[in-house]
Amino acid sequence: MIELYSPAEIEAMRPAGRFVAATLSELSKVAAVGVNLLELDELVARRIKEAGAVSCYVDYHPSFGASPFGKVLCTSVNDAVLHGLPFDYALQDGDLLSVDFAAEVDGWVADSALSVVVGTPRPEDLRLIDTTTRALEAGIAAAVVGNKLGDVGHAIATVARGDGLGVNTQFGGHGVGRTMHGDPHVPNDGRPGRGMKLKPGLVIAIEPWFLHTTDEIRYDPDGWTLRSADGSRGAHMEHTIAVTEDGPIVLTARD
């Protein structure tokens, strides 16, 4: 069921958005050569406890997951791009790290993701992050009252294809509110003027993710981590936004 939220309810979502944004900003600075993925997860677990927030991931067990997730953070490295289950791995110079984080504060959920290069960057990784960031910005700009869901997906895919990237529509954005994943599904491709009409009060996560040379993915044995089928690297960007009469509000905007 697709829910629409009042201006007061959207305002009540802001603390969750600020917490998620601040946590990701901290992670982008802490992630460095030699830092273990489990250390990052432990850091975020402490931040959740300090804030009186609730993890959206620990007990999360959707139909595509092999078991409850068991961690508070998704950490996807290099050819992993989505749902990376943190494990005993120390970040190395040049790693491309994507971090996805969702949390509940006062009954409201916010969800966001970013990608960063650890240490010495590869130019092609910086270009991939830039393309993914611009695709997210294009999707957000298209999320205005009166547009259709297809306009959002089309805006995202136009940026990706303009830079020669393929687009996978199996995993994309989603509704956000009292729970992390709700209706509607927000694909990273679409036909302009098609699909559900965007109305004031719709709150969605828009999340483009792309791989260097493929749009095909495969599962790791952990049943969660999704990697490129050809070993190429990936980047992932996401914001939770509210559709309003005055334009989209980015609830997870980072400083």
Side-chain angles (χ1 to χ4, degrees):
M1 181 179 71
I2 296 172
E3 295 191 56
L4 300 178
Y5 298 98
S6 68
E9 289 174 317
I10 291 171
E11 193 64 26
M13 296 177 187
R14 287 186 183 273
R18 287 194 294 267
F19 173 65
V20 168
T23 302
L24 286 175
S25 291
E26 181 178 9
L27 287 172
S28 70
K29 299 177 178 68
V30 170
V33 175
V35 174
N36 197 291
L37 298 181
L38 295 178
E39 293 180 74
L40 296 179
D41 191 73
E42 290 165 2
L43 170 64
V44 175
R46 290 197 301 272
R47 294 292 180 262
I48 290 171
K49 184 176 181 180
E50 291 164 358
V54 178
S55 169
C56 292
Y57 289 167
V58 169
D59 298 322
Y60 187 55
H61 191 186
S63 58
F64 60 81
S67 60
F69 191 73
K71 301 293 182 183
V72 300
L73 191 64
C74 289
T75 53
S76 303
V77 182
N78 295 333
D79 62 323
V81 67
L82 294 174
H83 308 158
L85 186 63
F87 66 104
D88 184 11
Y89 174 80
L91 291 167
Q92 300 179 23
D93 187 47
D95 277 346
L96 175 51
L97 171 67
S98 296
V99 182
D100 193 351
F101 177 52
E104 177 186 319
V105 176
D106 298 329
W108 297 102
V109 170
D111 190 3
S112 188
L114 57 75
S115 292
V116 296
V117 176
V118 177
T120 309
R122 300 182 184 183
E124 62 268 26
D125 289 342
L126 295 180
R127 287 195 297 271
L128 184 63
I129 291 172
D130 177 69
T131 300
T132 312
T133 301
R134 288 188 290 106
L136 173 59
E137 292 169 348
I140 293 170
V144 297
V145 173
N147 267 2
K148 302 288 185 69
L149 207 55
D151 294 310
V152 176
H154 178 73
I156 292 169
T158 297
V159 173
R161 294 199 173 102
D163 284 2
L165 301 177
V167 181
N168 181 298
T169 57
Q170 183 179 354
F171 291 95
H174 48 87
V176 183
R178 292 290 188 181
T179 60
M180 176 173 61
H181 285 156
D183 293 329
H185 174 61
V186 184
N188 290 321
D189 196 1
R191 296 173 62 184
R194 301 294 294 272
M196 186 192 79
K197 188 174 183 179
L198 303 183
K199 298 180 180 180
L202 180 69
V203 178
I204 53 177
I206 299 176
E207 53 178 315
W209 58 274
F210 307 120
L211 302 161
H212 274 305
T213 57
T214 185
D215 59 7
E216 298 297 323
I217 50 178
R218 61 177 177 82
Y219 277 97
D220 263 11
D222 65 23
W224 279 100
T225 305
L226 287 167
R227 297 184 183 274
S228 65
D230 66 357
S232 62
R233 295 183 172 207
H236 177 201
M237 294 289 182
E238 177 182 18
H239 274 311
T240 296
I241 69 108
V243 178
T244 77
E245 293 284 7
D246 297 323
I249 297 173
V250 182
L251 295 170
T252 50
R254 294 182 289 274
D255 293 335

